[in-house]
């Protein structure tokens, strides 16, 4: 039984949901998102609440039930509040800067790394060691932030690299000379 799929979604003021063919269109003050309608799932829009029911108890219906609810809930949050990921750059000489809409990273390689954001995602650099990724699509924001982090993941000995703000890096003790 899907516990996530049975939860109601409260639609805030200023956000509207409509079903158009095989997609649910979510419109809000920050923009518009299309969510595909998954198989075996019925969507019920009832004023301020949205609920989802399964056609049957097949495996596909059960797996799509929670997924459909999560996709629509993320779209509602995205068009009303938006999503934001913050990254920190740690390391001597490591820095980030903007070149147009693209992010340019100098993180210890012999060349600059240029990150092009996904459509609908905005990258900003308040300082040389901070990067903010914002947008209305949770998947696109997360994907862009993950690509930035993967250019130089944090290493466990000195903690140098790119990490999410507030992320704890488990540190290792380095090798040391010992007695035989």
């Amino acid at each position: 039984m899907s516990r996530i799929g049975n939860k109601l979604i409260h639609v805030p003021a200023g956000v509207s949901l409509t079903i158009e063919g095989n997609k649910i269109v979510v419109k809000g003050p920050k923009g518009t998102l299309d969510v595909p309608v998954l198989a075996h799932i019925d969507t019920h829009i009832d004023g301020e609440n949205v609920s989802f029911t399964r056609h049957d108890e097949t495996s596909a219906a059960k797996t799509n039930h929670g997924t459909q609810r999560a996709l629509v809930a993320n779209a509602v949050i995205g068009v009303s509040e938006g999503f934001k990921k913050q990254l920190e750059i740690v390391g001597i000489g490591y820095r980030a800067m903007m070149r147009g809409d693209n992010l340019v990273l100098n993180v210890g390689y012999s060349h600059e790394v240029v990150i092009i954001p996904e459509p609908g995602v905005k990258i900003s650099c308040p300082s040389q060691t901070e990067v903010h990724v914002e947008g209305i699509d949770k998947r696109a924001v997360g994907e862009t932030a993950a690509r930035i982090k993967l250019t130089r993941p944090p290493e466990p000995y000195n903690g140098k690299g790119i990490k999410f703000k507030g992320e704890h890096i488990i540190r290792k003790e380095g090798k040391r000379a010992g007695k035989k």
Side-chain angles (χ1 to χ4, degrees):
M1 174 181 199
S2 174
R3 294 189 177 125
I4 298 294
N6 291 331
K7 293 171 91 176
L8 293 176
I9 298 173
H10 176 72
V11 180
V15 176
S16 66
L17 275 83
T18 56
I19 300 173
E20 297 176 2
N22 288 342
K23 62 184 176 183
I24 299 170
V25 179
V26 183
K27 293 180 183 175
K30 292 197 175 258
T32 303
L33 286 174
D34 295 338
V35 178
V37 175
L38 301 178
H40 309 289
I41 304 297
D42 285 331
T43 304
H44 308 286
I45 301 171
D46 183 31
E48 293 182 353
N49 294 319
V50 180
S51 61
F52 303 94
T53 56
R54 298 190 285 253
H55 288 188
D56 48 31
E57 295 298 316
T58 62
S59 176
K62 289 179 181 179
T63 56
N64 286 344
H65 193 198
T67 303
Q68 183 73 61
R69 191 249 178 224
L71 291 173
V72 173
N74 287 338
V76 169
I77 292 169
V79 299
S80 59
E81 302 167 20
F83 293 100
K84 184 174 188 176
K85 296 263 187 184
Q86 299 177 350
L87 295 108
E88 296 175 337
I89 301 173
V90 179
I92 296 173
Y94 289 9
R95 63 183 177 273
M97 60 185 164
M98 297 300 298
R99 188 177 297 152
D101 290 337
N102 301 335
L103 178 69
V104 178
L105 297 171
N106 293 317
V107 286
Y109 296 119
S110 62
H111 59 280
E112 296 177 333
V113 179
V114 178
I115 303 290
I116 300 169
E118 297 224 355
V121 175
K122 181 179 174 275
I123 300 175
S124 61
C125 288
S127 71
Q128 290 185 342
T129 60
E130 290 182 40
V131 177
H132 294 181
V133 182
E134 300 177 58
I136 62 172
D137 188 0
K138 186 175 186 178
R139 184 209 57 82
V141 170
E143 181 71 27
T144 303
R147 282 193 295 123
I148 293 170
K149 183 178 175 182
L150 282 176
T151 58
R152 181 65 83 173
E155 52 97 8
Y157 296 101
N158 296 325
K160 290 170 39 173
I162 302 173
K163 64 177 187 153
F164 290 111
K165 189 167 189 171
E167 180 182 6
H168 176 70
I169 305 300
I170 297 173
R171 305 292 286 271
K172 292 182 180 178
E173 185 176 343
K175 295 180 181 179
R176 60 180 138 154
K179 293 182 181 179
K180 290 189 176 184

